[in-house]
Amino acid sequence: MTLAQRLRTVALAIILTWGWKRAAIAMAAGALSVLALSPFNAWPVLFLTFPVLVWLIDGAGGGRFGGVPAAALTGYWFGLGYFVPGLYWIGYAFFVDAQTFAWLTPFAVLGLPAYLAIYTAIGFALARLFWTKDAARILALAASLTVAEWLRGHALTGFPWNAFGYALFEPLPLAQTASLIGLWGMTFLTVAIFASPAALIDRTADRKMPWRAPAAAIVLLMIMGIFGAIRLSLHPTTMVAGAKLRLMQPNLQQDAKFNYSAKAEVMKKYLALSDRASGPQSTGVRDATILIWPESAFPFFLTREADAMAQIADLLPKGTVLITGSVRAPDLPPGRRITRAYNSIYVIDHDGGVLSVYDKLHLVPFGEFLPYQDLMEELGFEQLTRVQGGFIPGTVRHALPVPSAPSALPLICYEAIFPGDVAGLKERPGWIVNLTNDGWFGISTGPYQHMEQARMRAIEFGLPLVRSANTGVSAVVDPVGRTIASLGLGIEGVLDSGLPAAIPPTLYARVGDIPAALLVALAVILAVRKRVARRHS
């Protein structure tokens, strides 16, 4: 038996599978597909798992209503298999305050994937509506899953974590295509490229195995790699003159970060660590013009603690500013009890004055607010941060002016996973500053995934990324995605670096998701034409 015959035998066995075996195959394909993501980046595995999806949808045609419900159910099982191992680390957050939240862990670890799998089910159902008997069905699947992933990234505040397009992030030359088509275009290419071997079982009119689809996919990968290598060579890393960064990564435990009684301990650690010498020639914080601390750095309202502000002023030499995360109290009449707060970023001058503030717009559901907040609180529920009433969302995204450097686009925590949160500013910033606290998720794959997705924003928009994380990964990334300096997960320390300079706006920065929409539209048109032509033949 030849290799082609063996492949066809395996494919037919998958196509004809039904019931629990079909669900098991779909879930296994989803689970294995997670290996394509950070920190593993084993993307060739998708050449094995994505063809299985095509064959499963082929087999759904024997069901009722054109196989659409069967395809949707298959997509649901694939999504569940993909999201449970991809997002298992969310369960760590519920053990920070185990006495209160540990019982919710199974609901989070299984409940969120169960919800997100609805979108892959939608994608499979849409694909089945446009399904053909030739290689055009691969494009139908790519278009439909791209639409479904876009919906996942926008509906109900959105959660585009681990979108399929991140599979082509490594090696770095492949990721450069994101500068043209963004995350959603990369998602389309990922599905189309890796699902292409499914066409090897098709029979053409001359009875030859159709090698054209996988060959085209390999050629496309090569073109992406060549384009990326050229782009990287054309944009060597250059630094902003006079800007010297110092990122402080305290690796502080979560119980200290939210415990007011640990105020003195927290400040002492931050101050000492920020002024730590990082080498024989280092003079501590005096080497830096910009000191950066992570998200929600303090277990108190920073600007309402005069002693803390005075300590910061004493730490900062003239000409140095601090960019730090902190909860911020709303402006209330004197004597009014504070029950809610903003998750904010401050820029603080060397004399302790606040130069500018940004309030987080894109809050985390169940972490920073509850859907139907009042009702849920009446029923006894509360979000992980335990802020009564939930955090208050900001009103506008704006760049932060920073002395001795270009203006910075602030992104707090998972705001960095939304391409749309970077786009849309009237004035282009000079860099992205991402403050986060991934300490919720321990030593797991979650912080690595978060770092990778933030790096994608740098490539998409041609802007350097400076990322300060409580427990890691903290890093300085240039505008084409090179990591200039980094501190690993679970490490305490400081990171000194220059500030990479931005490059001219990318195609994606100028036109947004239009190229991705065109790819989807062309694929759908081709699939529909093939389907119509088959009916009239």
Side-chain angles (χ1 to χ4, degrees), residues 246-252 254 257 266 270 273-274 291-299 302 322-327 343-346 411-413 433-439 466-474 487 491 493-494:
R246 167 162 282 212
L247 282 64
M248 187 272 294
Q249 182 170 296
N251 196 34
L252 202 64
Q254 290 299 93
K257 285 182 68 68
V266 169
Y270 283 8
L273 188 55
S274 296
L291 173 65
I292 303 177
W293 292 351
E295 176 195 11
S296 301
F298 316 97
L302 175 61
L322 170 66
I323 300 177
T324 183
S326 176
V327 289
N343 188 354
S344 303
I345 292 177
Y346 287 103
L411 298 174
I412 299 178
C413 190
V433 58
N434 177 212
L435 307 188
T436 189
N437 177 21
D438 289 350
V466 177
R467 187 172 193 267
S468 178
N470 170 34
T471 57
V473 179
S474 298
L487 276 175
I491 296 173
V494 291

Side-chain angles (χ1 to χ4, degrees), residues 197-208:
L200 289 172
I201 70 163
D202 298 344
R203 295 289 188 179
T204 58
D206 57 4
R207 308 298 291 175
K208 292 181 180 179

Side-chain angles (χ1 to χ4, degrees), residues 171-177 221-236 480 482:
L172 190 57
L174 291 180
Q176 300 305 307
T177 304
L221 274 177
M222 293 175 62
I223 292 172
M224 292 171 65
I226 293 170
F227 165 77
I230 293 173
R231 185 169 189 263
L232 289 168
S233 67
L234 291 176
H235 295 291
V480 291
R482 300 185 192 93

Side-chain angles (χ1 to χ4, degrees), residues 164-517:
F164 299 132
Y166 289 115
L168 288 174
F169 191 80
E170 294 287 352
L172 190 57
L174 291 180
Q176 300 305 307
T177 304
S179 67
L180 305 175
I181 59 178
L183 174 60
W184 309 120
M186 294 292 282
T187 295
F188 177 90
L189 293 185
T190 296
V191 179
I193 288 170
F194 294 115
S196 63
L200 289 172
I201 70 163
D202 298 344
R203 295 289 188 179
T204 58
D206 57 4
R207 308 298 291 175
K208 292 181 180 179
M209 297 293 285
W211 49 267
R212 298 174 186 85
I218 297 300
V219 170
L220 180 56
L221 274 177
M222 293 175 62
I223 292 172
M224 292 171 65
I226 293 170
F227 165 77
I230 293 173
R231 185 169 189 263
L232 289 168
S233 67
L234 291 176
H235 295 291
T237 306
T238 59
M239 298 295 181
V240 174
K244 298 179 180 179
L245 307 175
R246 167 162 282 212
L247 282 64
M248 187 272 294
Q249 182 170 296
N251 196 34
L252 202 64
Q253 296 301 309
Q254 290 299 93
D255 55 356
K257 285 182 68 68
F258 294 95
N259 182 359
Y260 183 80
S261 64
K263 168 188 169 182
E265 173 192 344
V266 169
M267 282 302 300
K268 181 179 179 181
K269 180 168 188 175
Y270 283 8
L271 297 169
L273 188 55
S274 296
D275 202 29
R276 176 186 293 180
S278 59
Q281 304 301 318
S282 173
T283 58
V285 74
R286 288 171 292 283
D287 292 336
T289 59
I290 304 171
L291 173 65
I292 303 177
W293 292 351
E295 176 195 11
S296 301
F298 316 97
F300 51 85
F301 294 116
L302 175 61
T303 56
R304 289 175 175 250
E305 299 284 343
D307 57 338
M309 293 296 288
Q311 288 176 299
I312 290 174
D314 289 340
L315 170 71
L316 299 177
K318 187 175 182 179
T320 301
V321 297
L322 170 66
I323 300 177
T324 183
S326 176
V327 289
R328 184 176 76 85
D331 297 325
L332 296 174
R336 180 89 172 268
R337 180 170 175 265
I338 300 171
T339 59
R340 301 182 67 192
Y342 297 94
N343 188 354
S344 303
I345 292 177
Y346 287 103
V347 180
I348 300 174
D349 203 354
H350 66 273
D351 60 3
V354 175
L355 300 180
S356 55
V357 181
Y358 164 74
D359 299 321
K360 186 178 182 182
L361 275 75
H362 213 139
L363 301 178
V364 181
F366 301 100
E368 294 172 318
F369 77 97
L370 296 173
Y372 306 104
Q373 183 83 37
D374 293 340
L375 175 61
M376 294 285 277
E377 286 186 346
E378 287 181 8
L379 294 174
F381 292 94
E382 56 186 341
Q383 61 272 0
L384 288 172
T385 48
R386 307 193 72 176
V387 175
Q388 184 180 358
F391 276 94
I392 307 169
T395 56
V396 63
R397 189 174 305 284
H398 59 88
L400 293 174
V402 181
S404 75
S407 62
L409 172 65
L411 298 174
I412 299 178
C413 190
Y414 93 145
E415 286 185 315
I417 73 172
F418 297 91
D421 284 2
V422 181
L425 288 181
K426 293 181 180 179
E427 295 184 9
R428 178 173 165 85
W431 51 300
I432 300 169
V433 58
N434 177 212
L435 307 188
T436 189
N437 177 21
D438 289 350
W440 289 101
F441 310 117
I443 306 299
S444 68
T445 59
Y448 293 105
Q449 294 168 3
H450 199 183
M451 175 62 199
E452 179 179 86
Q453 293 172 69
R455 281 178 68 198
M456 182 70 89
R457 305 292 84 79
I459 298 171
E460 287 172 334
F461 293 92
L463 294 173
L465 167 75
V466 177
R467 187 172 193 267
S468 178
N470 170 34
T471 57
V473 179
S474 298
V476 178
V477 178
D478 81 359
V480 291
R482 300 185 192 93
T483 300
I484 305 304
S486 66
L487 276 175
L489 186 61
I491 296 173
E492 174 189 304
V494 291
L495 184 65
D496 292 329
S497 172
L499 173 62
I503 60 176
T506 63
L507 176 66
Y508 181 72
R510 292 194 297 267
V511 302
D513 291 325
I514 292 176

